[in-house]
Amino acid sequence: MSSINHRLRGATLALTTALVGVGMAGAAPALASTAPVASTSTPALIPVDFVDAPVRALPAAGQSHTFTVSYRNNSSVDQVVAPQILVESPDNGPYLAPADILVERRNADGQREIVPVASQTGTLFTDLVAAQRTLRPGETLTERYRVTVITAGAAGTVQPRVALYG
């Protein structure tokens, strides 16, 4: 297991990762649930910056990469943020398709829910608009994800990040 902390604009991003083998029908042990962070009801905003966590290679088919992304608002004002998962294909292809991977997130009840991914120019990504949250001063966003490779031979990298809004 590895972790990283990154400070930017009065906030802290912490990422904890683990690579685990999970059979295609296997279940991962339950994680402790955390209280949900309030969602913003304002229209979609444009990110002004991103805090990138370390890039990791995709695991082999049938294997999972689990990780927790935590972002703390250390400023004195509300901050809108959105966690995002990028899965990038090799520069020369073959490019990944959404069916090559499964991205899941732990919800407030501790259950896994599928996070849909979109595809553009060799990159798979989760929706920033749906993931937007407003963090009050001192609040922490904590999201638990699992990326499972479905297709044998699928190659690429996983990069969690947090979008920051102005």
Side-chain angles (χ1 to χ4, degrees):
M1 182 149 341
S2 63
S3 64
I4 186 167
N5 291 318
H6 183 83
R7 292 188 185 278
L8 178 70
R9 294 177 145 200
T12 303
L13 170 69
L15 173 71
T16 304
T17 64
L19 182 63
V20 296
V22 176
M24 297 309 286
L31 294 173
S33 64
T34 59
V37 177
S39 218
T40 181
S41 60
T42 59
L45 304 171
I46 304 292
V48 295
D49 204 355
F50 288 90
V51 177
D52 294 326
V55 175
R56 305 274 306 233
L58 273 177
Q63 300 289 306
S64 294
H65 179 145
T66 61
F67 49 93
T68 301
V69 176
S70 294
Y71 187 83
R72 182 170 176 78
N73 180 3
N74 291 327
S75 74
S76 61
V77 297
D78 289 357
Q79 184 175 31
V80 178
V81 301
Q84 185 179 49
I85 306 303
L86 299 178
V87 180
E88 297 179 322
S89 298
D91 288 339
N92 297 322
Y95 295 128
L96 295 166
D100 291 334
I101 63 166
L102 175 65
V103 177
E104 299 167 288
R105 181 183 73 83
R106 287 264 185 212
N107 64 23
D109 297 329
Q111 301 298 312
R112 292 197 187 276
E113 60 187 23
I114 294 173
V115 179
V117 292
S119 178
Q120 184 176 20
T121 61
T123 300
L124 304 177
F125 55 92
T126 58
D127 183 15
L128 282 173
V129 175
Q132 282 183 9
R133 309 284 189 275
T134 299
L135 296 180
R136 307 286 180 243
E139 283 187 326
T140 300
L141 168 72
T142 301
E143 295 286 349
R144 291 173 175 86
Y145 293 96
R146 178 171 70 181
V147 174
T148 304
V149 176
I150 306 297
T151 304
T157 59
V158 178
Q159 180 174 24
R161 66 184 190 169
V162 175
L164 306 176
Y165 297 84

